[in-house]
Amino acid sequence: MEGSSLRDRCYRLVCKIPKGKVTSYKEVAEALGIRGYRLVGMLLSRNPEPVKIPCHRVVKSNGEVGGYIMGVDKKVELLRSEGIPVKNGRIVDFQRYFFRLK
DNA sequence: ATATTGACATTTA
DNA sequence: ATAAATGCCAATA
């Protein structure tokens, strides 16, 4: 089932982000040992199991929400439902909700 | 095998 | 503040 491809490691990592927290594409990339930040977005965009794998908790490093398969609106809705305030496409008090993977 | 593709980040203007 | 150029790299085609 779970292999050791970067993709699978990426999914496993994202699953560790606790509810009510967010991290960035950059943080995930670095935890995976790469600097191809865009690649993380590409991998998550092909998320096999949306919701089960909480990729909505991964946002841009500048606090903007970033994209989502089901639409950005859905991503914002999910984040808010987990207690994360979002205003004008940005996480409010980003630092405070940031989950460090390293 | 090579070429393109991304839900990004940093630097520069 | 915005916008463009450049770097990144596994996955996809």
Side-chain angles (χ1 to χ4, degrees):
Chain A
M1 273 292 288
E2 301 290 328
S4 58
S5 64
L6 197 70
R7 172 182 52 201
D8 292 336
R9 285 167 45 221
C10 179
Y11 295 152
R12 283 196 291 265
L13 204 52
V14 168
C15 286
K16 294 182 181 173
I17 307 168
K19 181 179 155 192
K21 293 278 188 180
V22 295
T23 194
S24 67
Y25 295 98
K26 178 181 179 181
E27 187 76 5
V28 173
E30 291 183 343
L32 291 172
I34 64 174
R35 283 167 299 176
Y37 314 122
R38 310 166 82 203
L39 180 56
V40 175
M42 184 278 275
L43 295 176
L44 294 181
S45 77
R46 293 187 163 41
N47 184 339
E49 307 161 275
V51 178
K52 180 176 179 182
I53 297 177
C55 56
H56 58 279
R57 296 177 189 148
V58 184
V59 303
K60 295 200 191 182
S61 59
N62 64 359
E64 289 176 2
V65 173
Y68 195 58
I69 303 193
M70 334 284 296
V72 178
D73 292 345
K74 182 66 178 175
K75 186 168 181 176
V76 171
E77 182 185 309
L78 284 168
L79 289 172
R80 286 191 174 133
S81 77
E82 298 185 345
I84 298 171
V86 181
K87 188 162 193 173
N88 298 322
R90 291 201 138 214
I91 307 287
V92 178
D93 203 353
F94 184 42
Q95 177 76 260
R96 167 181 174 152
Y97 299 99
F98 196 83
F99 180 69
R100 295 196 196 301
L101 295 168
K102 51 179 199 209

